[in-house]
Amino acid sequence: MGGVTSSMAAKLAFFPPNPPSYKLVADEMTGLLLLSTFPHRENVEILKLPTRKGTEVVGMYIRHPMATSTLLYSHGNAADLGQMYELFVELSIHLRVNLMGYDYSGYGQSSGKPSEQHTYADIEAVYKCLEEGYGAKQEDIILYGQSVGSGPTLDLAARLPHLRAVVLHSPILSGLRVMYPVKKSYWFDIYKNIDKIQLVDCPVLVIHGTADEVVDCSHGKQLWELSKEKYEPLWLKGGNHCDLEHHPEYIRHLKKFVLTVEKPPSQRYTGSRRRSTDQQLLPPRKSTDIVFEASRKSTDRREKPRHSTDKLEKLKNQSNYAEKLRVSFDQVERSRRSVDCCLEKSRKSVDHQLERGRKSVDRIRTG
């Protein structure tokens, strides 16, 4: 039963375009490989890479002059490089990244037949090419897995502890879980992402459409919940399985993510921690989180002995207040004395004038 179910899952997982959307041709002037349906671009290289399984996969490397990251993109189960070409070029431009895409064994002009184990060997060969052929470092690489591509992406990410980041686009919990709502992993299941996501140590972004009829959005949400280092997810309202890149929020959110993970870890979440409506339910994992927590607790310890300080502060405030009142009263008293003095002077002046007037009148009477 297990073998039959595994075979069914594999058959449902792979739908290579037939016929392929492109052919490989050699440029007459340079001898370089090209995709038949696209003109030569100076910053695009087409490669054929051998795998440990004995197949040869076609890769496509796009160079960006300002790039500090390299995106390794594993596409969905019903596409090939000819169909992904324009999107890959656009992503490289908008995200300012180098981008490597590839066709799985049995897809496009890659040799062999598609299978779970072949895709693991395929992505390893492409990753090796990035390191050895283009000098990319693990800490500068972002793995991007779309749909079934989340399988090889998480399998590789679980074995690379220093990756820059992982993007999961309409991902699956496992092949079997796409067909049946099983509660545990069986030996015959394929792409057991639900078990591997917990082994990934870098930031993880999950993008999923809420109206996905192929892979329910619950797959993406559960994988996000199981991630160690969560980044604010993107749940695209009304998004289906194959149209997420057409939503304006897609490229904006993805660009923000790339800019964030390109910063040093200590600066990534300054001002606003990873935001999500569900985030508060989940414990933080990142080492910087531990530092922040320890710092906060240390501050709390320093806060506790402040009772005596608070009393002194209160007394000081009371003393200052009394002093202000005393000064105020003194000012009132001085003002009162000044008024009294003026009144006294005025009274004496009036008395003096009346006295002079009386004496003058007396002189007139006497005379």
Side-chain angles (χ1 to χ4, degrees):
M1 177 62 184
V4 173
T5 306
S6 180
S7 177
M8 286 174 58
K11 287 181 179 180
L12 290 172
F14 304 112
F15 294 95
N18 188 19
S21 68
Y22 69 96
K23 293 181 180 179
L24 286 180
V25 296
D27 183 83
E28 294 181 358
M29 297 291 292
T30 63
L32 297 174
L33 286 176
L34 301 174
L35 301 189
S36 58
T37 50
F38 299 98
H40 173 66
R41 289 176 182 258
E42 288 295 329
N43 65 323
V44 177
E45 295 179 56
I46 306 300
L47 314 158
K48 295 179 78 173
L49 306 170
T51 76
R52 58 179 172 82
K53 287 285 188 179
T55 63
E56 199 171 48
V57 297
V58 179
M60 170 183 169
Y61 183 78
I62 305 171
R63 192 187 307 274
H64 191 287
M66 306 291 288
T68 58
S69 297
T70 298
L71 196 74
L72 198 172
Y73 196 117
S74 300
H75 61 62
N77 70 338
D80 64 18
L81 283 179
Q83 296 171 343
M84 301 299 293
Y85 185 97
E86 293 294 348
L87 175 63
F88 285 172
V89 171
E90 290 296 315
L91 286 177
S92 176
I93 292 171
H94 288 292
L95 302 179
R96 294 189 177 186
V97 296
N98 300 319
L99 190 147
M100 173 72 91
Y102 66 102
D103 270 337
Y104 310 120
S105 296
Y107 277 70
Q109 298 301 322
S110 296
S111 65
K113 292 183 178 181
S115 72
E116 178 189 16
Q117 295 304 317
H118 270 134
T119 60
Y120 295 157
D122 297 341
I123 195 171
E124 286 174 12
V126 177
Y127 177 80
K128 182 179 179 182
C129 173
L130 286 176
E131 280 197 321
E132 297 179 359
Y134 294 99
K137 297 179 181 178
Q138 183 181 150
E139 53 268 28
D140 297 330
I141 293 176
I142 300 172
L143 299 186
Y144 190 118
Q146 179 180 3
S147 188
V148 76
S150 61
T153 292
L154 285 177
D155 183 76
L156 182 62
R159 294 179 280 128
L160 297 176
H162 305 299
L163 281 173
R164 174 159 283 179
V166 166
V167 180
L168 300 177
H169 176 147
S170 305
I172 63 174
L173 286 167
S174 73
L176 190 58
R177 286 175 172 84
V178 175
M179 299 186 294
Y180 309 111
V182 295
K183 300 298 182 183
K184 64 178 183 178
S185 295
Y186 294 92
W187 64 268
F188 51 82
D189 199 357
I190 66 171
Y191 295 130
K192 301 173 189 175
N193 293 339
I194 190 172
D195 300 324
K196 296 175 182 177
I197 187 67
Q198 301 169 69
L199 304 175
V200 177
D201 293 323
C202 62
V204 175
L205 165 63
V206 180
I207 304 172
H208 216 122
T210 60
D212 194 325
E213 296 177 351
V214 179
V215 180
D216 191 78
C217 190
S218 60
H219 286 245
K221 289 184 176 180
Q222 192 169 346
L223 287 171
W224 182 81
E225 289 168 358
L226 291 170
S227 301
K228 287 181 180 178
E229 187 170 341
K230 302 165 181 62
Y231 185 84
E232 180 185 1
L234 180 59
W235 313 127
L236 283 167
K237 188 175 181 180
N240 216 306
H241 193 66
C242 300
D243 67 354
L244 302 189
E245 58 271 19
H246 300 304
H247 291 249
E249 305 96 314
Y250 166 81
I251 195 66
R252 285 200 298 265
H253 199 80
L254 190 55
K255 186 173 183 178
K256 185 174 73 170
F257 176 68
V258 171
L259 290 173
T260 298
V261 298
E262 285 181 341
K263 295 177 183 178
S266 61
Q267 299 177 18
R268 285 177 184 172
Y269 307 109
T270 303
S272 64
R273 302 292 297 160
R274 283 155 260 162
R275 293 172 303 197
S276 168
T277 53
D278 301 322
Q279 181 184 356
Q280 57 191 358
L281 302 176
L282 298 152
R285 184 218 63 85
K286 196 182 170 196
S287 59
T288 50
D289 292 347
I290 298 169
V291 172
F292 292 153
E293 181 65 16
S295 177
R296 187 188 63 77
K297 288 181 178 176
S298 175
T299 305
D300 289 346
R301 292 193 198 102
R302 291 196 297 271
E303 290 286 342
K304 290 176 182 177
R306 288 186 56 189
H307 298 302
S308 59
T309 307
D310 291 344
K311 290 179 181 178
L312 289 172
E313 188 68 23
K314 189 180 292 184
L315 289 171
K316 184 178 178 182
N317 289 337
Q318 290 174 350
S319 176
N320 289 340
Y321 183 66
E323 179 64 20
K324 288 179 181 178
L325 285 176
R326 187 186 63 78
V327 171
S328 179
F329 288 146
D330 288 346
Q331 289 174 345
V332 170
E333 181 64 20
R334 283 198 298 271
S335 297
R336 187 185 63 78
R337 288 175 181 173
S338 177
V339 171
D340 289 346
C341 182
C342 290
L343 289 173
E344 180 65 21
K345 287 180 179 179
S346 298
R347 187 183 61 80
K348 288 181 179 179
S349 176
V350 171
D351 290 346
H352 179 68
Q353 289 175 359
L354 289 174
E355 180 64 22
R356 288 176 61 188
R358 186 184 62 80
K359 288 180 179 179
S360 177
V361 171
D362 288 344
R363 289 193 198 98
I364 292 171
R365 284 178 182 174
T366 303

